[in-house]
Amino acid sequence: MNRYYSISRPVSIGTFPDRIHITKIHNFEFAIVVPEIHHVAWGCFETPDKLTEQECYLYDLVEGAKHENLG
C-alpha cells in the first residue's frame, strides 16, 4: 500500500487524481508535523496505485513510507 500526505488541505474529492483507488483516508483535526515526511500535513490516504511525481506536484501530495494499512 502506498501512503500519500496532503500538505495543503484535508483530503477530499478533487484533492487526488481520479484514476486512483483510495482504500483509506485519514484527515487530522488540524495540520500537524509528520516526522515520516519531515513536513506539515492535513491528512493522508492509502492507495495500491503509485502516483507520478507530476501528480504529487499538482495535488500537493508527499509520498510516505509503504504501509500495510492505517490501522
Side-chain angles (χ1 to χ4, degrees):
M1 223 24 91
N2 299 294
R3 183 177 292 174
Y4 293 91
Y5 290 89
S6 180
I7 60 172
S8 294
R9 65 194 69 80
V11 179
S12 185
I13 295 170
T15 63
F16 52 84
D18 291 339
R19 70 169 185 84
I20 65 172
H21 174 72
I22 302 291
T23 58
K24 289 251 183 175
I25 292 176
H26 181 71
N27 283 314
F28 311 131
E29 289 187 38
F30 45 85
I32 63 170
V33 175
V34 179
E36 179 179 336
I37 62 169
H38 307 288
H39 205 287
V40 172
W42 286 89
C44 64
F45 63 86
E46 288 187 349
T47 177
D49 305 308
K50 180 82 170 151
L51 275 63
T52 65
E53 286 184 32
Q54 180 68 15
E55 288 172 323
C56 288
Y57 173 77
L58 289 173
Y59 291 93
D60 295 324
L61 301 170
V62 175
E63 185 174 12
K66 292 196 184 313
H67 294 274
E68 289 298 316
N69 60 44
L70 284 172

